[in-house]
Amino acid sequence: MDDLQTTTSSTMPNQNASKVNKTSPPPTEKLDLVGLLKWFENSCGFNEVAYTPGTEENKRQQAFNTFEESFMGKRYQENGDYTPYVKPDYRQNLPALLTNVIKNISVVQDDEGIHYYVNFNNATYRGYDLSRLELFNRPESDYVYKSLHFKNSNFMELKPIFKTTRDDLDISRGGEFNSNSRSVMCYLGL
């Protein structure tokens, strides 16, 4: 996550980005989360390089997994079921860069499954304002997805840089753009 970037709130997308150290950005600056979320544009992590130890893609995937583990918790019951929760000390486990851009994290369990919502303040992806990250799974199934939600419909300009690939089952893998929900979804199930 060393390549997370901050830009001032007055900059246009993809302009005037500069490297920062691992301290929290001032509340008036925006943090570009491409360093944490770039696997979305790399075929949602379904390329061989993402599984090759030591590659930048693999390091990004590991950083994202560590990020998820910092806030996702499970309380197991005697029957083997579990109740999801947000770890109460998750802010202490986040990299300092993320503390000002995460407004809150919540979890909702409904008939579809479990939804974790990471709501953002002053966060962008390649300069486009993010509203939240959704992490979904349906227990005891392969139905899993992760979605980036944007504040404005101009995020559709990102579509050409998002790659797709075919997996071992010859299924096309990559971010699915939805202009109505202003989101890019990575379906990660089989």
Side-chain angles (χ1 to χ4, degrees):
M1 288 197 306
D2 290 335
D3 54 355
L4 292 174
Q5 299 175 336
T6 59
T7 56
T8 60
S9 57
S10 63
T11 60
M12 297 297 294
N14 299 321
Q15 294 178 346
N16 300 327
S18 61
K19 298 276 183 182
V20 296
N21 58 25
K22 292 188 176 196
T23 60
S24 296
T28 57
E29 291 184 344
K30 292 185 179 184
L31 183 68
D32 199 306
L33 300 181
V34 72
L36 178 64
L37 303 170
K38 189 174 180 182
W39 63 271
F40 268 84
E41 69 185 63
N42 287 335
S43 307
C44 294
F46 280 97
N47 56 10
E48 286 296 318
V49 179
Y51 301 104
T52 305
T55 63
E56 286 303 312
E57 290 83 355
N58 182 259
K59 290 176 185 176
R60 249 187 216 101
Q61 187 63 50
Q62 289 175 0
F64 185 80
N65 293 344
T66 300
F67 168 67
E68 283 185 322
E69 291 168 7
S70 73
F71 63 86
M72 296 174 83
K74 297 178 182 179
R75 287 189 186 95
Y76 286 93
Q77 302 163 3
E78 288 182 25
N79 65 1
D81 289 340
Y82 68 90
T83 302
Y85 70 96
V86 176
K87 294 178 182 176
D89 62 347
Y90 76 88
R91 287 200 180 272
Q92 296 169 12
N93 299 321
L94 292 174
L97 280 171
L98 296 177
T99 56
N100 282 346
V101 297
I102 293 179
K103 181 178 181 180
N104 60 45
I105 300 176
S106 62
V107 61
V108 174
Q109 188 167 7
D110 58 23
D111 292 339
E112 291 182 14
I114 300 167
H115 308 258
Y116 280 90
Y117 297 106
V118 179
N119 296 299
F120 296 116
N121 281 326
N122 296 322
T124 63
Y125 186 84
R126 294 202 178 272
Y128 296 86
D129 290 330
L130 286 170
S131 61
R132 74 176 180 206
L133 169 67
E134 178 184 3
L135 310 168
F136 174 84
N137 76 77
R138 181 176 294 153
E140 299 181 32
S141 80
D142 289 330
Y143 190 51
V144 177
Y145 67 80
K146 299 180 188 335
S147 293
L148 288 177
H149 293 265
F150 292 82
K151 290 183 178 180
N152 304 300
S153 59
N154 64 350
F155 82 98
M156 294 294 288
E157 296 169 2
L158 292 169
K159 195 170 185 176
I161 65 170
F162 277 66
K163 300 173 188 128
T164 59
T165 191
R166 302 207 67 82
D167 67 11
D168 295 340
L169 300 173
D170 201 34
I171 298 171
S172 180
R173 298 295 189 154
E176 296 176 23
F177 280 68
N178 184 320
S179 60
N180 292 332
S181 65
R182 295 188 312 266
S183 65
V184 179
M185 182 187 78
C186 284
Y187 174 69
L188 303 173
L190 299 175

